[in-house]
Amino acid sequence: MASADQLINAFTTLLVTIDPPGLAPIFLGLTTGMSRTERKQVALRGSVIAFIILAVFALFGAGVLGVLGISIGAFRIAGGLLLFWIAFEMVFERRQERKEKATEAAITKDHIENIAVFPLALPLIAGPGAISATILLAGTLATSIGKAQLIGVIAANLLLTFLMLLIAERLDRFLGVTGRAILTRLLGVILAALAAQFVVDGAKSAFNLISATPH
């Protein structure tokens, strides 16, 4: 069974990589012209699909790595570096620009009914960062109970994301451009620290490094 610290770490990692407040203005852009009911349907469908994607990676991601001959230590290093890059983009406001470009491309290519699947569920909610974080966390919560707890953490994050999307208009108005910029940078710094910890843990595991203990 995972400790409270592990669960808090897992929740924080996923919350920061999914970034519900950052999704609010993009969701509004995606659903321009829709009624409140239609927006709710898109938000619900997108959140459920994203939950299924992340739950599948939580359960089977480590197994896929094993089949490919990739150690969890090596994946922690790679995943940590990827999360660090996402944190870098958040701090320097590049991630939001990339998401908006992906959104614009998707609107021209896909019918509005499919927006919940692409780009909302994938890659905006369950993006590479969230998927990598899920597999990394599944490696630290390897027992059946740990996996069940991780799926509960994923569900809690996606429920929060769904609620954020429901109040996206009010949230965007409340935060404003300055508030979003401050919040995104703050979350980026937190994610950078979490990413660094993944790299350190991965290096210890991959190279069988054990912290020196006093005799």
Side-chain angles (χ1 to χ4, degrees), residues 19-178:
D19 186 20
L23 286 174
I26 296 172
F27 177 72
L28 291 176
L30 275 174
T31 56
T32 300
M34 290 188 185
S35 66
R36 183 169 294 181
T37 302
E38 289 170 332
R39 276 183 174 165
K40 184 178 179 180
Q41 289 173 347
V42 170
L44 179 61
R45 190 178 178 203
S47 299
V48 169
I49 292 169
F51 168 75
I52 292 170
I53 292 169
L54 294 179
V56 167
F57 276 100
L59 293 172
F60 306 111
V64 172
L65 292 180
V67 170
L68 295 173
I70 301 170
S71 71
I72 192 66
F75 190 82
R76 279 178 185 161
I77 294 172
L81 292 173
L82 174 61
L83 293 180
F84 192 84
W85 175 251
I86 291 172
F88 177 86
E89 288 188 321
M90 290 174 74
V91 171
F92 292 98
E93 286 195 323
R94 294 183 182 176
R95 191 185 189 201
Q96 200 75 2
E97 292 174 13
R98 179 165 50 79
K99 281 185 173 183
E100 286 168 2
K101 285 179 184 175
T103 300
E104 288 167 9
I107 289 173
T108 59
K109 292 178 183 175
D110 281 61
H111 193 270
I112 199 165
E113 290 179 359
N114 297 323
I115 281 174
V117 181
F118 178 83
L120 183 59
L122 187 73
L124 292 180
I125 299 177
I131 290 171
S132 298
T134 298
I135 298 175
L136 289 170
L137 294 167
T140 62
L141 303 170
T143 65
S144 298
I145 295 175
K147 292 283 176 66
Q149 289 176 312
L150 177 56
I151 289 175
V153 168
I154 293 169
N157 266 284
L158 270 297
L159 176 61
L160 181 60
T161 301
F162 170 64
L163 295 175
M164 286 278 195
L165 295 180
L166 284 186
I167 61 168
E169 196 169 349
R170 277 174 284 177
L171 182 67
D172 190 51
R173 201 182 308 124
F174 172 74
L175 287 175
V177 176
T178 305

Side-chain angles (χ1 to χ4, degrees), residues 161-207:
T161 301
F162 170 64
L163 295 175
M164 286 278 195
L165 295 180
L166 284 186
I167 61 168
E169 196 169 349
R170 277 174 284 177
L171 182 67
D172 190 51
R173 201 182 308 124
F174 172 74
L175 287 175
V177 176
T178 305
R180 283 202 310 273
I182 293 170
L183 185 60
T184 298
R185 283 182 168 85
L186 179 62
L187 293 176
V189 172
I190 294 171
L191 182 59
L194 292 167
Q197 188 61 54
F198 277 127
V199 172
V200 170
D201 292 343
K204 286 180 180 177
S205 175
F207 300 108

